[in-house]
Amino acid sequence: MSYNRKEHGDFKSWFDTDLKRNYWTLGYFGGGAVNIVDAYALAKEFAEVIGVPLETVYIDEILSSRRFKGFKFISSNHPNQEPDKEGSYQTTGVYSFLRD
């Protein structure tokens, strides 16, 4: 996999304490289009680390934001997630913060 989240400077792990949902901000993740093999590998890694089914994982792009414009993020719509086992910033309103 060409994207190594543990070595990428833009990577951050977030946990929304209200929604009980994890978010990984991935930075530009290569910018524009995403290589499907890299995306699949990262989605699989997210599912394993967070403990959610792979079919609930998605990668999206933040189109409007002062801080994160153009960044990709990965999340899952699986209910009642636990915080990232490897550590994360825990707060409320993560999605709103990312889009601010």
Side-chain angles (χ1 to χ4, degrees):
M1 184 170 91
S2 62
Y3 182 97
N4 184 339
R5 69 181 175 87
K6 294 180 180 179
E7 295 176 2
H8 197 282
D10 289 329
F11 175 82
K12 298 279 187 295
S13 177
W14 308 84
F15 181 74
D16 190 309
T17 55
D18 286 341
L19 296 176
K20 305 288 189 236
R21 184 172 289 177
N22 288 276
Y23 297 86
W24 286 358
T25 52
L26 308 175
Y28 288 101
F29 192 47
V34 176
N35 178 281
I36 193 69
V37 173
D38 290 345
Y40 177 76
L42 191 56
K44 190 173 176 186
E45 181 180 9
F46 180 88
E48 290 170 3
V49 170
I50 303 302
V52 296
L54 181 60
E55 58 271 8
T56 68
V57 176
Y58 59 91
I59 294 176
D60 204 346
E61 185 171 352
I62 302 166
L63 298 175
S64 60
S65 170
R66 291 179 292 146
R67 298 176 195 91
F68 303 101
K69 184 174 181 158
F71 272 37
K72 306 282 191 293
F73 71 93
I74 190 167
S75 191
S76 166
N77 59 7
H78 193 269
N80 298 320
Q81 298 171 31
E82 295 294 323
D84 184 337
K85 298 173 188 124
E86 298 178 6
S88 60
Y89 298 103
Q90 297 188 26
T91 188
T92 61
V94 172
Y95 187 71
S96 295
F97 171 74
L98 296 175
R99 296 194 43 168
D100 181 22

